[in-house]
Amino acid sequence: MYLAIRKTNTNLHRALSCFPLSFLQLPLPVYKSIKNNFNSKRKNNRMAFLGQLTANVQAQLNNVKPQLNSVLQTATRARDNLAPILNRATAQLDNLGKILQVTGDRKQSPIDILSTITTFDSTLENSEIRINYPMNGETRLKNAGDSLQLQLDSSSRAELSASHLGEERYVLETVYFHWGTEPMNGSEHTIGGVGYAGEIQFIHRNTRFPNLEMAFKEANGILGVAVLLNESHDDNPTFSTIIDGIKQVVYKGSECAIYGVNLPHMLPSSEKMKEFWTYTGSETVHPYRETVQWIIFRATVWISSNQLDKLRTLKREGYECEVEETMLPIRAVQPINGRTIRSSFRSSAQAARITET
């Protein structure tokens, strides 16, 4: 049985138009075979074209991605370099505002502790701060994106009290770690415009309130204790357990259980805890609630350059984010707005370098 090539199959007809008319009278099986082969080649050509196009687009994206990462890294470094300058400028403006008695109604943290706005309070002198933290309890290490956190188990009962706080007792809820890119831009609180390599913040809840949410609604509900970190060449064994756990919490939202954390050793000695500044402020992480009574110790704790470098490997975004950005858990210093900082010690130079533990 024969079938003439149909004019409707334009491409196939054009391809066979060079043959004599007698040749176009083909048996049906032969015609179908030719048609199928022709259509198959067309399909393969389209697939090859799409494959090549996809490969070219992917190659272009791969070429652009390193450039984009480089731009982001450059912008991050520029921001980090500007942070100390902006902090000093803010501190100078705050100092001028204090002299001119220009005040606002916000009580945000962190702040720059200036000698010109610091007042010695004799009721704080020789105040005994009593710490009852577990030596080797279980905690959870968490990357929150804006900070590295140690979250304590509710049964740990890590408590703090102080003679100047009267009968109030506080239980430790969370420990926050803050650091920067340089030895002097890692602390959130600064002293006379001078920053430090890092800062540890111990956030406590008043035991009169059953949870943090309720405590944050009251003026004396939250007590924040800040320890400034000085950079050293030698590793501090106190932080070894935390540093070892970092590889499990590189990305935002990740967390793991760690054991053997020695919280008391993250604080200055009992004698050196007698010298501190205190003021009313806020959280330094979102939502920045303004019901935190802060204590900042004058003495520091040391941490090594190597340990700081490990902290700097943490990311501020989740694993699924294509562009990785390093966590920089620092908030800029905030305006004083007429607040007075009280100190437990007499000093003619509050801006002097803090003594090291």
Side-chain angles (χ1 to χ4, degrees), residues 307-357:
Q307 290 171 323
L308 285 168
D309 287 339
K310 295 290 182 60
L311 290 171
R312 292 171 184 139
T313 64
L314 294 175
K315 310 301 179 185
R316 64 177 299 175
E317 301 294 345
Y319 177 79
E320 69 284 354
C321 186
E322 291 187 4
V323 180
E324 294 186 352
E325 187 173 351
T326 302
M327 182 196 300
L328 188 65
I330 307 174
R331 190 187 189 199
V333 294
Q334 303 297 303
I336 294 295
N337 287 337
R339 286 175 286 178
T340 297
I341 305 167
R342 297 181 297 147
S343 69
S344 66
F345 58 95
R346 298 179 185 274
S347 175
S348 59
Q350 295 285 356
R353 192 68 178 174
I354 301 176
T355 58
E356 186 170 351
T357 303

Side-chain angles (χ1 to χ4, degrees), residues 208-349:
R208 293 195 289 108
F209 306 103
N211 54 59
L212 275 175
E213 288 303 315
M214 293 187 65
F216 267 113
K217 296 177 181 179
E218 303 296 331
N220 62 343
I222 302 294
L223 178 67
V225 174
V227 177
L228 303 177
L229 299 175
N230 258 334
E231 186 169 351
S232 172
H233 293 294
D234 300 322
D235 285 351
N236 188 334
T238 299
F239 301 118
S240 296
T241 303
I242 297 169
I243 299 301
D244 291 342
I246 282 179
K247 57 181 176 292
Q248 300 183 60
V249 295
V250 173
Y251 296 95
K252 178 182 178 180
S254 55
E255 58 182 272
C256 68
I258 58 175
Y259 304 88
V261 176
N262 195 327
L263 292 172
H265 285 186
M266 296 183 190
L267 297 163
S269 64
S270 298
E271 186 63 27
K272 291 187 175 181
M273 281 196 293
K274 292 181 179 180
E275 294 189 344
F276 59 88
W277 297 276
T278 183
Y279 76 98
T280 301
S282 72
E283 303 169 273
T284 65
V285 295
H286 184 79
Y288 311 112
R289 290 166 287 194
E290 298 179 342
T291 53
V292 181
Q293 185 66 37
W294 281 100
I295 292 176
I296 299 97
F297 290 122
R298 190 184 189 195
T300 66
V301 171
W302 53 278
I303 185 171
S304 74
S305 303
N306 177 61
Q307 290 171 323
L308 285 168
D309 287 339
K310 295 290 182 60
L311 290 171
R312 292 171 184 139
T313 64
L314 294 175
K315 310 301 179 185
R316 64 177 299 175
E317 301 294 345
Y319 177 79
E320 69 284 354
C321 186
E322 291 187 4
V323 180
E324 294 186 352
E325 187 173 351
T326 302
M327 182 196 300
L328 188 65
I330 307 174
R331 190 187 189 199
V333 294
Q334 303 297 303
I336 294 295
N337 287 337
R339 286 175 286 178
T340 297
I341 305 167
R342 297 181 297 147
S343 69
S344 66
F345 58 95
R346 298 179 185 274
S347 175
S348 59

